[in-house]
Amino acid sequence: MVYRFRVILDNDTEEDIFRDLEIRETDTLEDLHNIITQSFGFDGTEMASFYLSNDLWEQGEEISLFDLSEDASARLMNETSLDSVVHEAQTKLIYVYDFLSMWTFFVELAEIVDETEGHDYPNLMFVQGQVPENAPEKLFESDKNDDFDEFEDGLDVDDYDGLDFDENWN
């Protein structure tokens, strides 16, 4: 079977920038990494990772290009087949290329089709939009939680007799 993916650049411009790709279900995430970098015009030499994602595009387990962990326990792209992480129930991945620039892409399985005889895979099917010269800037903000006040602990700091020295010793 062949997986058809839409790979969308996460940017804040008015123009949609995406690529539609075909790749065999038995190919690896490294093969998908290679076709993504080529189709968006990157040289493919920077560090990259895929992240499993849910329907809300929340980042899950990391599958990296290289294992940089101390205990060599990271899941690697070249050891992970597409059909082991993407299927009808799990259709979304987040792909990050070049951790200094943080090029971020939403990768979604659009459909699964039969392989066409005589067709080469992976295959770039469609191109929409031009990749900007620089990666879109990322804002890292926490969610606002109006219910939390770090100074609301019920203690009166002016009431020294009410403070138990042994209980509040750091």
Side-chain angles (χ1 to χ4, degrees):
M1 301 300 287
V2 171
Y3 283 178
R4 289 186 174 160
F5 287 100
R6 175 155 288 174
V7 182
I8 304 167
L9 175 63
D10 179 18
N11 67 28
D12 56 359
T13 64
E14 291 181 18
E15 179 185 25
D16 290 332
I17 301 169
F18 65 88
R19 307 291 185 260
D20 290 342
L21 312 170
E22 290 180 314
I23 188 168
R24 288 184 182 96
E25 68 179 339
T26 55
D27 285 343
T28 66
L29 282 176
E30 185 176 29
D31 297 321
L32 182 59
H33 153 78
N34 289 333
I35 186 67
I36 291 172
T37 56
Q38 291 168 13
S39 68
F40 282 93
F42 299 117
D43 62 14
T45 60
E46 299 295 334
M47 184 60 191
S49 286
F50 283 97
Y51 298 89
L52 300 182
S53 180
N54 60 19
D55 287 338
L56 300 175
W57 294 105
E58 294 172 329
Q59 184 174 312
E61 179 188 0
E62 178 181 16
I63 304 168
S64 61
L65 186 57
F66 303 108
D67 189 354
L68 300 176
S69 64
E70 289 182 18
D71 59 355
S73 63
R75 196 165 171 190
L76 299 176
M77 289 183 200
N78 67 344
E79 299 171 351
T80 306
S81 66
L82 284 169
D83 59 359
S84 71
V85 293
V86 177
H87 42 78
E88 291 89 351
Q90 168 61 49
T91 61
K92 295 181 173 152
L93 299 168
I94 297 171
Y95 173 69
V96 177
Y97 176 75
D98 186 354
F99 287 100
L100 294 177
S101 298
M102 294 295 291
W103 291 96
T104 304
F105 300 86
F106 300 113
V107 180
E108 185 165 16
L109 178 64
E111 62 182 333
I112 302 171
V113 297
D114 290 325
E115 190 170 328
T116 305
E117 198 169 317
H119 217 105
D120 289 332
Y121 298 100
N123 177 43
L124 175 60
M125 297 172 44
F126 184 78
V127 173
Q128 170 67 44
Q130 295 298 315
V131 177
E133 192 172 311
N134 296 312
E137 226 174 282
K138 302 284 180 234
L139 295 176
F140 296 100
E141 297 176 348
S142 64
D143 294 334
K144 294 187 188 249
N145 184 352
D146 295 335
D147 297 336
F148 178 73
D149 181 359
E150 64 184 310
F151 299 109
E152 192 175 289
D153 54 12
L155 294 176
D156 181 3
V157 293
D158 294 324
D159 179 19
Y160 298 110
D161 294 331
L163 296 175
D164 184 6
F165 181 76
D166 292 327
E167 283 184 24
N168 294 297
W169 178 253
N170 291 332

